Amino acid sequence: MSKTAVYPGSFDPITMGHVDIINRMARLYDQVIILVAQSSQKQQMFTPEERKTLIEQSLSHLKNVKVDFFVGLTTDYMKKHNAQVIVRGLRAVVDFEYEMTMANINKKIAPDIETMLVFASPEYYYISSRGVKELAINGGALTDLVPDVVIKAMEAKLKK
Ligand code: ADP
């Protein structure tokens, strides 16, 4: 049976931390679906469509990765698309409680779906979309933190 993992998140914008997790997961699974959250309460810099395009441009080297949107429960999307595993990244301990709660809720509503928590690589563990936006707004350098297409897109956004 072919194995599909879903990596849900805001990705506002995609960072090198996300890219690293996706590169690693694309080696383990037959297919990886990046699921861009549409109904996040967080204040967003990019629209879901813009975030999807930036992810696609950053991952064009991976043939078994696709990007999609979702409204509603990740587990409902997964049942529809025959996906078995939710992938989430873990940076510091502060991520842990939130991720454990989400994993337990998902286990309760969809017992057949597994959550896999993947440790951020040491060189990326401090990168967050929020931090990157803060840096960009204040004129900090984004080299090595986000893909080049994202640097350009953020510069264009902030010029407006
Ligand atoms: P959300 O708003 O759902 O937390 P994010 O786009 O911020 O979405 O993150 C999606 C997932 O990627 C989360 O599991 C988050 O912990 C993980 N993640 C974010 N930044 C990194 C990073 N630098 N390294 C590894 N995982 C990360």
Side-chain angles (χ1 to χ4, degrees):
M1 192 177 67
S2 104
K3 292 271 182 245
T4 300
V6 166
Y7 183 26
S10 309
F11 304 103
D12 185 49
I14 185 166
T15 69
M16 293 312 278
H18 297 129
V19 170
D20 175 58
I21 297 279
I22 298 160
N23 273 325
R24 290 157 63 194
M25 292 308 106
R27 288 198 288 268
L28 286 181
Y29 294 98
D30 300 299
Q31 192 185 33
V32 179
I33 303 175
I34 319 297
L35 211 45
V36 178
Q38 258 185 328
S39 55
S40 174
Q41 285 138 20
K42 293 182 189 173
Q43 219 191 333
Q44 308 289 4
M45 179 178 257
F46 295 99
T47 65
E49 288 77 14
E50 289 170 333
R51 286 181 262 149
K52 179 173 185 276
T53 304
L54 289 174
I55 298 170
E56 282 166 350
Q57 290 171 341
S58 308
L59 299 170
S60 55
H61 59 289
L62 296 173
K63 298 300 163 226
N64 59 340
V65 170
K66 78 169 191 182
V67 191
D68 207 351
F69 300 116
F70 85 102
V71 184
L73 298 175
T74 305
T75 48
D76 285 343
Y77 176 96
M78 293 176 71
K79 285 175 194 165
K80 225 192 223 156
H81 291 81
N82 248 328
Q84 303 87 2
V85 176
I86 300 174
V87 170
R88 295 281 292 178
L90 263 195
R91 287 161 294 184
V93 181
V94 289
D95 283 341
F96 182 80
E97 204 162 314
Y98 176 72
E99 297 299 342
M100 189 177 68
T101 304
M102 287 304 297
N104 282 317
I105 291 171
N106 285 327
K107 193 79 209 163
K108 179 84 184 150
I109 60 176
D112 293 340
I113 289 173
E114 294 297 338
T115 297
M116 213 174 101
L117 296 179
V118 184
F119 283 109
S121 296
E123 60 270 46
Y124 301 123
Y125 81 93
Y126 63 93
I127 304 175
S128 66
S129 297
R130 192 179 151 179
V132 161
K133 283 184 277 193
E134 201 73 26
L135 258 182
I137 288 165
N138 293 294
L142 298 173
T143 323
D144 299 332
L145 303 185
V146 294
D148 288 345
V149 282
V150 175
I151 296 183
K152 289 197 188 85
M154 289 181 103
E155 283 170 355
K157 222 6 119 178
L158 291 168
K159 263 192 208 135
K160 278 185 194 160

